[in-house]
Amino acid sequence: MSETRFITLSDGTRIAYEVVGEEGPPLLLFNGVTTTHFFWEEMLRRWSDRRIILWDYPGHGSSPPAETPE
């Protein structure tokens, strides 16, 4: 897998994501409530001709819990 990156949303919530591959049409994969990036590892070989973007919901995988207003 590639390096985990983070994006910060307007409310301060940080979302973890990874980009696999550099060429080809992008394919966005997101994880269910009980899965993380590891769920997709086997499929990444099949889609090696694409750029894959994987992200974790807040509070799952490498994404910390969502920020809540005080």
Side-chain angles (χ1 to χ4, degrees):
M1 294 295 269
S2 64
E3 176 183 337
T4 300
R5 305 174 192 182
F6 291 89
I7 187 170
T8 302
L9 305 180
S10 61
D11 69 352
T13 298
R14 295 181 70 219
I15 300 295
Y17 72 99
E18 294 184 24
V19 178
V20 179
E22 298 181 16
E23 296 184 20
L27 179 61
L28 178 64
L29 304 176
F30 51 96
N31 306 306
V33 173
T34 61
T35 62
T36 66
H37 294 165
F38 300 110
F39 178 83
W40 299 107
E41 283 187 21
E42 188 65 32
M43 297 305 295
L44 293 178
R45 285 186 277 254
R46 289 180 181 243
W47 296 324
S48 62
D49 60 334
R50 304 182 75 121
R51 180 176 27 185
I52 310 292
I53 303 166
L54 304 114
W55 65 280
D56 287 327
Y57 285 108
H60 297 278
S62 298
S63 291
E67 294 291 322
T68 56
E70 295 183 27

Short mmCIF file of all heavy atoms in Angstrom, two decimals:
data_model
loop_
_atom_site.label_atom_id
_atom_site.label_comp_id
_atom_site.label_asym_id
_atom_site.label_seq_id
_atom_site.Cartn_x
_atom_site.Cartn_y
_atom_site.Cartn_z
N MET A 1 0.85 -1.18 0.00
CA MET A 1 0.00 0.00 0.00
C MET A 1 0.89 1.24 0.00
O MET A 1 2.06 1.19 0.31
CB MET A 1 -0.91 0.01 1.22
CG MET A 1 -1.94 -1.10 1.26
SD MET A 1 -3.14 -1.00 -0.03
CE MET A 1 -4.38 -0.04 0.73
N SER A 2 0.27 2.35 -0.28
CA SER A 2 1.00 3.61 -0.32
C SER A 2 0.92 4.29 1.05
O SER A 2 0.32 3.79 1.98
CB SER A 2 0.40 4.51 -1.39
OG SER A 2 -0.93 4.83 -1.05
N GLU A 3 1.52 5.44 1.12
CA GLU A 3 1.54 6.21 2.36
C GLU A 3 0.15 6.76 2.67
O GLU A 3 -0.55 7.23 1.77
CB GLU A 3 2.53 7.37 2.20
CG GLU A 3 2.58 8.31 3.37
CD GLU A 3 3.52 9.47 3.11
OE1 GLU A 3 4.43 9.33 2.27
OE2 GLU A 3 3.33 10.51 3.74
N THR A 4 -0.24 6.71 3.93
CA THR A 4 -1.52 7.27 4.35
C THR A 4 -1.41 8.79 4.38
O THR A 4 -0.47 9.35 4.92
CB THR A 4 -1.93 6.76 5.73
OG1 THR A 4 -2.05 5.33 5.67
CG2 THR A 4 -3.26 7.34 6.18
N ARG A 5 -2.37 9.44 3.76
CA ARG A 5 -2.45 10.90 3.74
C ARG A 5 -3.72 11.31 4.47
O ARG A 5 -4.61 10.50 4.70
CB ARG A 5 -2.53 11.41 2.30
CG ARG A 5 -1.40 10.94 1.42
CD ARG A 5 -1.64 11.36 0.00
NE ARG A 5 -0.72 10.71 -0.91
CZ ARG A 5 -0.69 10.92 -2.20
NH1 ARG A 5 -1.55 11.77 -2.75
NH2 ARG A 5 0.16 10.29 -2.97
N PHE A 6 -3.82 12.58 4.81
CA PHE A 6 -5.00 13.09 5.50
C PHE A 6 -5.49 14.36 4.84
O PHE A 6 -4.70 15.17 4.35
CB PHE A 6 -4.69 13.39 6.98
CG PHE A 6 -4.43 12.16 7.79
CD1 PHE A 6 -3.16 11.64 7.88
CD2 PHE A 6 -5.47 11.51 8.44
CE1 PHE A 6 -2.91 10.49 8.62
CE2 PHE A 6 -5.25 10.37 9.18
CZ PHE A 6 -3.96 9.86 9.27
N ILE A 7 -6.79 14.54 4.84
CA ILE A 7 -7.41 15.78 4.43
C ILE A 7 -8.26 16.24 5.61
O ILE A 7 -8.86 15.42 6.31
CB ILE A 7 -8.25 15.60 3.15
CG1 ILE A 7 -8.76 16.96 2.66
CG2 ILE A 7 -9.37 14.62 3.35
CD1 ILE A 7 -9.38 16.91 1.28
N THR A 8 -8.29 17.55 5.85
CA THR A 8 -9.08 18.09 6.96
C THR A 8 -10.31 18.79 6.40
O THR A 8 -10.20 19.67 5.55
CB THR A 8 -8.24 19.08 7.79
OG1 THR A 8 -7.07 18.40 8.26
CG2 THR A 8 -9.03 19.60 8.98
N LEU A 9 -11.47 18.37 6.88
CA LEU A 9 -12.74 18.96 6.44
C LEU A 9 -12.98 20.29 7.15
O LEU A 9 -12.30 20.63 8.12
CB LEU A 9 -13.88 17.98 6.72
CG LEU A 9 -13.72 16.58 6.13
CD1 LEU A 9 -14.93 15.73 6.48
CD2 LEU A 9 -13.52 16.65 4.63
N SER A 10 -13.97 21.04 6.72
CA SER A 10 -14.24 22.38 7.26
C SER A 10 -14.56 22.36 8.76
O SER A 10 -14.31 23.34 9.44
CB SER A 10 -15.36 23.06 6.49
OG SER A 10 -16.56 22.32 6.59
N ASP A 11 -15.08 21.24 9.28
CA ASP A 11 -15.39 21.18 10.72
C ASP A 11 -14.22 20.67 11.55
O ASP A 11 -14.33 20.48 12.74
CB ASP A 11 -16.62 20.30 10.98
CG ASP A 11 -16.38 18.83 10.70
OD1 ASP A 11 -15.30 18.47 10.16
OD2 ASP A 11 -17.26 18.02 11.03
N GLY A 12 -13.07 20.42 10.90
CA GLY A 12 -11.87 19.95 11.60
C GLY A 12 -11.70 18.44 11.58
O GLY A 12 -10.68 17.94 12.04
N THR A 13 -12.66 17.71 11.06
CA THR A 13 -12.55 16.26 10.97
C THR A 13 -11.45 15.88 9.98
O THR A 13 -11.39 16.43 8.88
CB THR A 13 -13.89 15.64 10.51
OG1 THR A 13 -14.89 15.93 11.48
CG2 THR A 13 -13.78 14.13 10.34
N ARG A 14 -10.58 14.95 10.38
CA ARG A 14 -9.50 14.49 9.50
C ARG A 14 -9.90 13.16 8.89
O ARG A 14 -10.34 12.25 9.59
CB ARG A 14 -8.20 14.36 10.28
CG ARG A 14 -7.70 15.71 10.78
CD ARG A 14 -6.40 15.59 11.53
NE ARG A 14 -5.34 15.27 10.58
CZ ARG A 14 -4.36 14.42 10.83
NH1 ARG A 14 -4.27 13.81 11.99
NH2 ARG A 14 -3.43 14.19 9.93
N ILE A 15 -9.74 13.05 7.58
CA ILE A 15 -10.07 11.83 6.83
C ILE A 15 -8.77 11.24 6.28
O ILE A 15 -8.01 11.94 5.59
CB ILE A 15 -11.04 12.13 5.67
CG1 ILE A 15 -12.35 12.72 6.19
CG2 ILE A 15 -11.28 10.88 4.83
CD1 ILE A 15 -13.17 11.79 7.04
N ALA A 16 -8.54 9.96 6.57
CA ALA A 16 -7.36 9.26 6.05
C ALA A 16 -7.68 8.70 4.67
O ALA A 16 -8.77 8.21 4.44
CB ALA A 16 -6.97 8.13 6.99
N TYR A 17 -6.69 8.80 3.77
CA TYR A 17 -6.85 8.22 2.45
C TYR A 17 -5.50 7.80 1.89
O TYR A 17 -4.46 8.23 2.37
CB TYR A 17 -7.56 9.17 1.49
CG TYR A 17 -6.73 10.36 1.06
CD1 TYR A 17 -6.08 10.34 -0.17
CD2 TYR A 17 -6.61 11.49 1.85
CE1 TYR A 17 -5.32 11.43 -0.58
CE2 TYR A 17 -5.87 12.57 1.45
CZ TYR A 17 -5.22 12.54 0.24
OH TYR A 17 -4.46 13.61 -0.17
N GLU A 18 -5.53 6.93 0.90
CA GLU A 18 -4.34 6.48 0.20
C GLU A 18 -4.61 6.53 -1.29
O GLU A 18 -5.75 6.34 -1.72
CB GLU A 18 -3.95 5.07 0.61
CG GLU A 18 -3.54 4.96 2.06
CD GLU A 18 -3.07 3.56 2.43
OE1 GLU A 18 -2.63 2.81 1.53
OE2 GLU A 18 -3.16 3.22 3.61
N VAL A 19 -3.56 6.80 -2.06
CA VAL A 19 -3.65 6.77 -3.52
C VAL A 19 -2.69 5.68 -4.00
O VAL A 19 -1.52 5.68 -3.64
CB VAL A 19 -3.28 8.13 -4.14
CG1 VAL A 19 -3.34 8.05 -5.65
CG2 VAL A 19 -4.19 9.23 -3.61
N VAL A 20 -3.21 4.75 -4.78
CA VAL A 20 -2.41 3.65 -5.32
C VAL A 20 -2.40 3.81 -6.85
O VAL A 20 -3.45 3.92 -7.46
CB VAL A 20 -3.01 2.29 -4.93
CG1 VAL A 20 -2.20 1.16 -5.53
CG2 VAL A 20 -3.10 2.16 -3.42
N GLY A 21 -1.22 3.82 -7.43
CA GLY A 21 -1.10 4.00 -8.88
C GLY A 21 -1.09 5.47 -9.25
O GLY A 21 -1.56 6.31 -8.49
N GLU A 22 -0.53 5.74 -10.42
CA GLU A 22 -0.40 7.14 -10.84
C GLU A 22 -1.07 7.42 -12.17
O GLU A 22 -1.17 8.57 -12.57
CB GLU A 22 1.08 7.52 -10.91
CG GLU A 22 1.77 7.42 -9.56
CD GLU A 22 3.23 7.81 -9.65
OE1 GLU A 22 3.62 8.43 -10.65
OE2 GLU A 22 3.96 7.47 -8.72
N GLU A 23 -1.49 6.38 -12.86
CA GLU A 23 -2.06 6.58 -14.18
C GLU A 23 -3.40 5.87 -14.30
O GLU A 23 -3.75 5.04 -13.47
CB GLU A 23 -1.11 6.05 -15.24
CG GLU A 23 0.20 6.81 -15.29
CD GLU A 23 1.09 6.32 -16.41
OE1 GLU A 23 0.57 5.69 -17.35
OE2 GLU A 23 2.28 6.58 -16.35
N GLY A 24 -4.10 6.20 -15.35
CA GLY A 24 -5.38 5.54 -15.62
C GLY A 24 -6.53 6.26 -14.96
O GLY A 24 -6.36 7.16 -14.13
N PRO A 25 -7.74 5.87 -15.32
CA PRO A 25 -8.92 6.50 -14.75
C PRO A 25 -8.99 6.24 -13.25
O PRO A 25 -8.72 5.13 -12.81
CB PRO A 25 -10.09 5.83 -15.48
CG PRO A 25 -9.52 4.82 -16.40
CD PRO A 25 -8.05 4.82 -16.27
N PRO A 26 -9.35 7.26 -12.47
CA PRO A 26 -9.42 7.05 -11.01
C PRO A 26 -10.62 6.20 -10.62
O PRO A 26 -11.67 6.25 -11.25
CB PRO A 26 -9.54 8.47 -10.45
CG PRO A 26 -10.07 9.28 -11.56
CD PRO A 26 -9.62 8.64 -12.84
N LEU A 27 -10.43 5.42 -9.58
CA LEU A 27 -11.49 4.60 -9.01
C LEU A 27 -11.51 4.89 -7.52
O LEU A 27 -10.50 4.71 -6.84
CB LEU A 27 -11.21 3.12 -9.27
CG LEU A 27 -12.21 2.11 -8.72
CD1 LEU A 27 -13.60 2.33 -9.32
CD2 LEU A 27 -11.73 0.70 -9.00
N LEU A 28 -12.61 5.40 -7.02
CA LEU A 28 -12.74 5.76 -5.61
C LEU A 28 -13.37 4.59 -4.85
O LEU A 28 -14.47 4.15 -5.18
CB LEU A 28 -13.61 7.01 -5.46
CG LEU A 28 -13.88 7.50 -4.05
CD1 LEU A 28 -12.60 7.93 -3.36
CD2 LEU A 28 -14.87 8.64 -4.08
N LEU A 29 -12.65 4.11 -3.83
CA LEU A 29 -13.14 3.02 -3.00
C LEU A 29 -13.31 3.52 -1.58
O LEU A 29 -12.42 4.18 -1.04
CB LEU A 29 -12.15 1.84 -3.01
CG LEU A 29 -11.78 1.28 -4.37
CD1 LEU A 29 -10.71 0.19 -4.20
CD2 LEU A 29 -13.00 0.72 -5.07
N PHE A 30 -14.43 3.22 -0.97
CA PHE A 30 -14.60 3.59 0.43
C PHE A 30 -15.02 2.36 1.20
O PHE A 30 -15.56 1.41 0.65
CB PHE A 30 -15.59 4.75 0.61
CG PHE A 30 -16.90 4.55 -0.07
CD1 PHE A 30 -17.99 4.05 0.63
CD2 PHE A 30 -17.06 4.89 -1.40
CE1 PHE A 30 -19.21 3.88 0.00
CE2 PHE A 30 -18.27 4.73 -2.03
CZ PHE A 30 -19.35 4.21 -1.33
N ASN A 31 -14.69 2.37 2.47
CA ASN A 31 -14.84 1.20 3.32
C ASN A 31 -16.16 1.23 4.06
O ASN A 31 -16.67 2.29 4.39
CB ASN A 31 -13.69 1.15 4.30
CG ASN A 31 -12.37 1.22 3.57
OD1 ASN A 31 -12.12 0.43 2.68
ND2 ASN A 31 -11.54 2.18 3.91
N GLY A 32 -16.68 0.07 4.33
CA GLY A 32 -17.89 -0.03 5.13
C GLY A 32 -17.58 0.20 6.60
O GLY A 32 -16.44 0.43 6.99
N VAL A 33 -18.58 0.12 7.40
CA VAL A 33 -18.44 0.40 8.83
C VAL A 33 -17.45 -0.55 9.50
O VAL A 33 -16.74 -0.16 10.41
CB VAL A 33 -19.82 0.34 9.52
CG1 VAL A 33 -19.70 0.46 11.02
CG2 VAL A 33 -20.72 1.43 8.98
N THR A 34 -17.33 -1.78 9.04
CA THR A 34 -16.46 -2.74 9.71
C THR A 34 -15.18 -3.06 8.94
O THR A 34 -14.47 -3.98 9.30
CB THR A 34 -17.21 -4.07 9.95
OG1 THR A 34 -17.59 -4.60 8.68
CG2 THR A 34 -18.41 -3.86 10.84
N THR A 35 -14.88 -2.33 7.87
CA THR A 35 -13.69 -2.64 7.08
C THR A 35 -12.76 -1.44 6.97
O THR A 35 -13.15 -0.30 7.24
CB THR A 35 -14.07 -3.08 5.65
OG1 THR A 35 -14.75 -2.01 5.00
CG2 THR A 35 -14.93 -4.31 5.66
N THR A 36 -11.53 -1.72 6.57
CA THR A 36 -10.52 -0.67 6.35
C THR A 36 -9.91 -0.91 4.97
O THR A 36 -10.37 -1.76 4.21
CB THR A 36 -9.42 -0.71 7.42
OG1 THR A 36 -8.70 -1.94 7.28
CG2 THR A 36 -9.99 -0.60 8.82
N HIS A 37 -8.83 -0.21 4.69
CA HIS A 37 -8.14 -0.37 3.40
C HIS A 37 -7.74 -1.82 3.14
O HIS A 37 -7.67 -2.24 1.99
CB HIS A 37 -6.87 0.47 3.37
CG HIS A 37 -7.13 1.94 3.40
ND1 HIS A 37 -6.12 2.82 3.67
CD2 HIS A 37 -8.23 2.69 3.20
CE1 HIS A 37 -6.60 4.06 3.64
NE2 HIS A 37 -7.87 3.99 3.35
N PHE A 38 -7.49 -2.57 4.19
CA PHE A 38 -7.04 -3.96 4.01
C PHE A 38 -8.07 -4.79 3.25
O PHE A 38 -7.72 -5.75 2.59
CB PHE A 38 -6.75 -4.60 5.37
CG PHE A 38 -5.67 -3.88 6.11
CD1 PHE A 38 -5.96 -3.15 7.25
CD2 PHE A 38 -4.36 -3.91 5.66
CE1 PHE A 38 -4.97 -2.47 7.93
CE2 PHE A 38 -3.36 -3.22 6.34
CZ PHE A 38 -3.67 -2.51 7.48
N PHE A 39 -9.31 -4.42 3.30
CA PHE A 39 -10.37 -5.13 2.60
C PHE A 39 -10.10 -5.18 1.09
O PHE A 39 -10.43 -6.14 0.42
CB PHE A 39 -11.72 -4.44 2.88
CG PHE A 39 -12.88 -5.05 2.15
CD1 PHE A 39 -13.52 -6.17 2.66
CD2 PHE A 39 -13.34 -4.51 0.97
CE1 PHE A 39 -14.59 -6.74 2.00
CE2 PHE A 39 -14.42 -5.07 0.29
CZ PHE A 39 -15.05 -6.19 0.82
N TRP A 40 -9.48 -4.14 0.55
CA TRP A 40 -9.29 -4.00 -0.89
C TRP A 40 -7.97 -4.56 -1.41
O TRP A 40 -7.76 -4.61 -2.62
CB TRP A 40 -9.38 -2.53 -1.28
CG TRP A 40 -10.70 -1.93 -0.96
CD1 TRP A 40 -10.97 -1.05 0.05
CD2 TRP A 40 -11.93 -2.15 -1.65
NE1 TRP A 40 -12.31 -0.72 0.02
CE2 TRP A 40 -12.92 -1.39 -1.00
CE3 TRP A 40 -12.29 -2.93 -2.74
CZ2 TRP A 40 -14.23 -1.38 -1.42
CZ3 TRP A 40 -13.61 -2.92 -3.16
CH2 TRP A 40 -14.57 -2.14 -2.49
N GLU A 41 -7.07 -4.99 -0.55
CA GLU A 41 -5.73 -5.38 -0.99
C GLU A 41 -5.73 -6.39 -2.12
O GLU A 41 -4.99 -6.27 -3.08
CB GLU A 41 -4.91 -5.89 0.20
CG GLU A 41 -4.40 -4.78 1.06
CD GLU A 41 -3.45 -5.27 2.14
OE1 GLU A 41 -2.88 -6.37 2.00
OE2 GLU A 41 -3.30 -4.55 3.12
N GLU A 42 -6.54 -7.41 -2.04
CA GLU A 42 -6.57 -8.44 -3.09
C GLU A 42 -7.05 -7.87 -4.43
O GLU A 42 -6.53 -8.24 -5.48
CB GLU A 42 -7.48 -9.59 -2.65
CG GLU A 42 -7.44 -10.77 -3.55
CD GLU A 42 -6.09 -11.48 -3.59
OE1 GLU A 42 -5.37 -11.48 -2.57
OE2 GLU A 42 -5.75 -12.00 -4.67
N MET A 43 -8.01 -6.97 -4.38
CA MET A 43 -8.56 -6.41 -5.62
C MET A 43 -7.62 -5.41 -6.29
O MET A 43 -7.71 -5.18 -7.49
CB MET A 43 -9.90 -5.73 -5.34
CG MET A 43 -10.97 -6.68 -4.85
SD MET A 43 -11.26 -8.08 -5.94
CE MET A 43 -11.90 -7.29 -7.38
N LEU A 44 -6.70 -4.81 -5.54
CA LEU A 44 -5.81 -3.80 -6.12
C LEU A 44 -4.98 -4.38 -7.26
O LEU A 44 -4.67 -3.68 -8.22
CB LEU A 44 -4.91 -3.20 -5.05
CG LEU A 44 -5.64 -2.35 -4.01
CD1 LEU A 44 -4.65 -1.83 -2.97
CD2 LEU A 44 -6.39 -1.21 -4.66
N ARG A 45 -4.62 -5.64 -7.18
CA ARG A 45 -3.86 -6.26 -8.27
C ARG A 45 -4.68 -6.31 -9.56
O ARG A 45 -4.17 -6.09 -10.65
CB ARG A 45 -3.42 -7.66 -7.87
CG ARG A 45 -2.27 -7.66 -6.90
CD ARG A 45 -1.81 -9.08 -6.67
NE ARG A 45 -2.66 -9.69 -5.67
CZ ARG A 45 -2.27 -9.93 -4.43
NH1 ARG A 45 -1.06 -9.64 -4.07
NH2 ARG A 45 -3.09 -10.47 -3.56
N ARG A 46 -5.97 -6.56 -9.43
CA ARG A 46 -6.84 -6.63 -10.61
C ARG A 46 -7.01 -5.25 -11.27
O ARG A 46 -7.24 -5.16 -12.47
CB ARG A 46 -8.22 -7.15 -10.24
CG ARG A 46 -8.23 -8.59 -9.90
CD ARG A 46 -9.64 -9.01 -9.55
NE ARG A 46 -9.66 -10.40 -9.20
CZ ARG A 46 -10.32 -11.32 -9.88
NH1 ARG A 46 -11.01 -10.99 -10.95
NH2 ARG A 46 -10.30 -12.56 -9.49
N TRP A 47 -6.95 -4.22 -10.46
CA TRP A 47 -7.16 -2.87 -10.96
C TRP A 47 -5.85 -2.10 -11.07
O TRP A 47 -5.82 -0.88 -10.95
CB TRP A 47 -8.14 -2.13 -10.05
CG TRP A 47 -9.50 -2.73 -10.03
CD1 TRP A 47 -10.17 -3.30 -11.06
CD2 TRP A 47 -10.37 -2.81 -8.89
NE1 TRP A 47 -11.40 -3.72 -10.65
CE2 TRP A 47 -11.56 -3.43 -9.32
CE3 TRP A 47 -10.27 -2.41 -7.56
CZ2 TRP A 47 -12.62 -3.67 -8.48
CZ3 TRP A 47 -11.33 -2.65 -6.71
CH2 TRP A 47 -12.50 -3.28 -7.17
N SER A 48 -4.76 -2.78 -11.34
CA SER A 48 -3.44 -2.15 -11.34
C SER A 48 -3.26 -1.13 -12.47
O SER A 48 -2.32 -0.36 -12.47
CB SER A 48 -2.34 -3.21 -11.43
OG SER A 48 -2.46 -3.94 -12.64
N ASP A 49 -4.18 -1.12 -13.46
CA ASP A 49 -4.09 -0.18 -14.57
C ASP A 49 -4.82 1.13 -14.27
O ASP A 49 -4.97 1.98 -15.13
CB ASP A 49 -4.66 -0.79 -15.84
CG ASP A 49 -6.13 -1.17 -15.70
OD1 ASP A 49 -6.58 -1.42 -14.56
OD2 ASP A 49 -6.82 -1.22 -16.73
N ARG A 50 -5.27 1.31 -13.04
CA ARG A 50 -6.03 2.50 -12.65
C ARG A 50 -5.35 3.20 -11.47
O ARG A 50 -4.53 2.61 -10.79
CB ARG A 50 -7.44 2.09 -12.22
CG ARG A 50 -8.19 1.32 -13.28
CD ARG A 50 -9.56 1.01 -12.79
NE ARG A 50 -10.35 2.23 -12.86
CZ ARG A 50 -11.45 2.36 -13.57
NH1 ARG A 50 -11.91 1.35 -14.25
NH2 ARG A 50 -12.11 3.48 -13.59
N ARG A 51 -5.74 4.41 -11.25
CA ARG A 51 -5.36 5.12 -10.03
C ARG A 51 -6.49 4.86 -9.03
O ARG A 51 -7.65 5.14 -9.30
CB ARG A 51 -5.21 6.61 -10.27
CG ARG A 51 -4.80 7.35 -9.02
CD ARG A 51 -4.56 8.79 -9.27
NE ARG A 51 -5.34 9.26 -10.41
CZ ARG A 51 -5.26 10.46 -10.92
NH1 ARG A 51 -4.45 11.33 -10.40
NH2 ARG A 51 -6.00 10.81 -11.94
N ILE A 52 -6.15 4.30 -7.88
CA ILE A 52 -7.13 3.93 -6.87
C ILE A 52 -7.01 4.88 -5.68
O ILE A 52 -5.92 5.14 -5.19
CB ILE A 52 -6.89 2.49 -6.36
CG1 ILE A 52 -6.73 1.50 -7.51
CG2 ILE A 52 -7.96 2.08 -5.37
CD1 ILE A 52 -7.97 1.26 -8.30
N ILE A 53 -8.14 5.42 -5.25
CA ILE A 53 -8.18 6.28 -4.07
C ILE A 53 -9.04 5.57 -3.04
O ILE A 53 -10.21 5.26 -3.30
CB ILE A 53 -8.76 7.66 -4.41
CG1 ILE A 53 -7.94 8.31 -5.52
CG2 ILE A 53 -8.82 8.54 -3.15
CD1 ILE A 53 -8.60 9.51 -6.17
N LEU A 54 -8.44 5.27 -1.88
CA LEU A 54 -9.16 4.58 -0.80
C LEU A 54 -9.27 5.52 0.39
O LEU A 54 -8.29 6.19 0.73
CB LEU A 54 -8.36 3.34 -0.35
CG LEU A 54 -8.01 2.33 -1.41
CD1 LEU A 54 -6.52 2.30 -1.59
CD2 LEU A 54 -8.52 0.99 -1.00
N TRP A 55 -10.41 5.58 1.03
CA TRP A 55 -10.54 6.44 2.19
C TRP A 55 -11.33 5.75 3.29
O TRP A 55 -12.10 4.83 3.03
CB TRP A 55 -11.12 7.79 1.84
CG TRP A 55 -12.54 7.79 1.36
CD1 TRP A 55 -12.98 7.49 0.10
CD2 TRP A 55 -13.71 8.08 2.11
NE1 TRP A 55 -14.34 7.60 0.02
CE2 TRP A 55 -14.82 7.95 1.24
CE3 TRP A 55 -13.94 8.44 3.43
CZ2 TRP A 55 -16.13 8.18 1.66
CZ3 TRP A 55 -15.24 8.67 3.84
CH2 TRP A 55 -16.32 8.55 2.96
N ASP A 56 -11.08 6.17 4.52
CA ASP A 56 -11.74 5.61 5.70
C ASP A 56 -12.74 6.61 6.26
O ASP A 56 -12.43 7.80 6.39
CB ASP A 56 -10.72 5.31 6.81
CG ASP A 56 -9.86 4.10 6.50
OD1 ASP A 56 -10.36 3.16 5.87
OD2 ASP A 56 -8.69 4.09 6.92
N TYR A 57 -13.92 6.11 6.59
CA TYR A 57 -14.91 6.94 7.28
C TYR A 57 -14.33 7.46 8.60
O TYR A 57 -13.47 6.81 9.19
CB TYR A 57 -16.16 6.12 7.61
CG TYR A 57 -17.06 5.84 6.44
CD1 TYR A 57 -17.14 4.56 5.90
CD2 TYR A 57 -17.86 6.83 5.88
CE1 TYR A 57 -17.97 4.28 4.83
CE2 TYR A 57 -18.69 6.55 4.82
CZ TYR A 57 -18.75 5.28 4.30
OH TYR A 57 -19.57 5.02 3.25
N PRO A 58 -14.82 8.60 9.10
CA PRO A 58 -14.36 9.09 10.40
C PRO A 58 -14.57 8.02 11.48
O PRO A 58 -15.61 7.38 11.54
CB PRO A 58 -15.24 10.31 10.67
CG PRO A 58 -15.65 10.77 9.30
CD PRO A 58 -15.78 9.52 8.49
N GLY A 59 -13.53 7.81 12.28
CA GLY A 59 -13.61 6.84 13.37
C GLY A 59 -13.32 5.42 12.95
O GLY A 59 -13.41 4.50 13.76
N HIS A 60 -12.96 5.19 11.69
CA HIS A 60 -12.67 3.85 11.19
C HIS A 60 -11.30 3.83 10.54
O HIS A 60 -10.85 4.83 9.98
CB HIS A 60 -13.71 3.40 10.17
CG HIS A 60 -15.08 3.30 10.74
ND1 HIS A 60 -15.49 2.20 11.45
CD2 HIS A 60 -16.11 4.15 10.75
CE1 HIS A 60 -16.73 2.38 11.86
NE2 HIS A 60 -17.13 3.57 11.45
N GLY A 61 -10.63 2.68 10.60
CA GLY A 61 -9.32 2.56 9.98
C GLY A 61 -8.36 3.60 10.55
O GLY A 61 -8.23 3.74 11.76
N SER A 62 -7.75 4.38 9.68
CA SER A 62 -6.77 5.39 10.10
C SER A 62 -7.38 6.77 10.33
O SER A 62 -6.67 7.70 10.70
CB SER A 62 -5.66 5.50 9.05
OG SER A 62 -4.97 4.28 8.94
N SER A 63 -8.68 6.93 10.10
CA SER A 63 -9.33 8.23 10.31
C SER A 63 -9.74 8.35 11.79
O SER A 63 -10.42 7.48 12.31
CB SER A 63 -10.60 8.38 9.46
OG SER A 63 -10.26 8.49 8.10
N PRO A 64 -9.32 9.45 12.43
CA PRO A 64 -9.78 9.65 13.80
C PRO A 64 -11.27 9.96 13.83
O PRO A 64 -11.87 10.25 12.79
CB PRO A 64 -8.94 10.84 14.28
CG PRO A 64 -8.45 11.52 13.06
CD PRO A 64 -8.44 10.51 11.95
N PRO A 65 -11.89 9.90 15.02
CA PRO A 65 -13.32 10.22 15.12
C PRO A 65 -13.62 11.62 14.60
O PRO A 65 -12.77 12.51 14.60
CB PRO A 65 -13.61 10.13 16.61
CG PRO A 65 -12.52 9.27 17.16
CD PRO A 65 -11.32 9.54 16.30
N ALA A 66 -14.86 11.82 14.16
CA ALA A 66 -15.30 13.12 13.65
C ALA A 66 -15.26 14.17 14.77
O ALA A 66 -15.47 13.86 15.94
CB ALA A 66 -16.71 13.03 13.10
N GLU A 67 -14.97 15.38 14.37
CA GLU A 67 -15.03 16.50 15.31
C GLU A 67 -16.50 16.88 15.50
O GLU A 67 -17.27 16.85 14.55
CB GLU A 67 -14.25 17.70 14.76
CG GLU A 67 -12.77 17.46 14.64
CD GLU A 67 -12.09 17.34 15.98
OE1 GLU A 67 -12.45 18.07 16.93
OE2 GLU A 67 -11.19 16.49 16.09
N THR A 68 -16.86 17.25 16.70
CA THR A 68 -18.23 17.68 16.95
C THR A 68 -18.21 19.09 17.50
O THR A 68 -17.33 19.45 18.27
CB THR A 68 -18.93 16.75 17.95
OG1 THR A 68 -18.16 16.68 19.15
CG2 THR A 68 -19.09 15.36 17.39
N PRO A 69 -19.17 19.90 17.11
CA PRO A 69 -19.22 21.26 17.64
C PRO A 69 -19.50 21.25 19.13
O PRO A 69 -20.23 20.40 19.62
CB PRO A 69 -20.36 21.93 16.87
CG PRO A 69 -20.98 20.89 16.03
CD PRO A 69 -20.22 19.61 16.18
N GLU A 70 -18.89 22.20 19.81
CA GLU A 70 -19.12 22.31 21.27
C GLU A 70 -20.28 23.19 21.58
O GLU A 70 -20.67 24.03 20.90
CB GLU A 70 -17.86 22.84 21.94
CG GLU A 70 -16.73 21.84 21.80
CD GLU A 70 -15.50 22.32 22.52
OE1 GLU A 70 -15.60 23.09 23.49
OE2 GLU A 70 -14.43 21.93 22.10
#
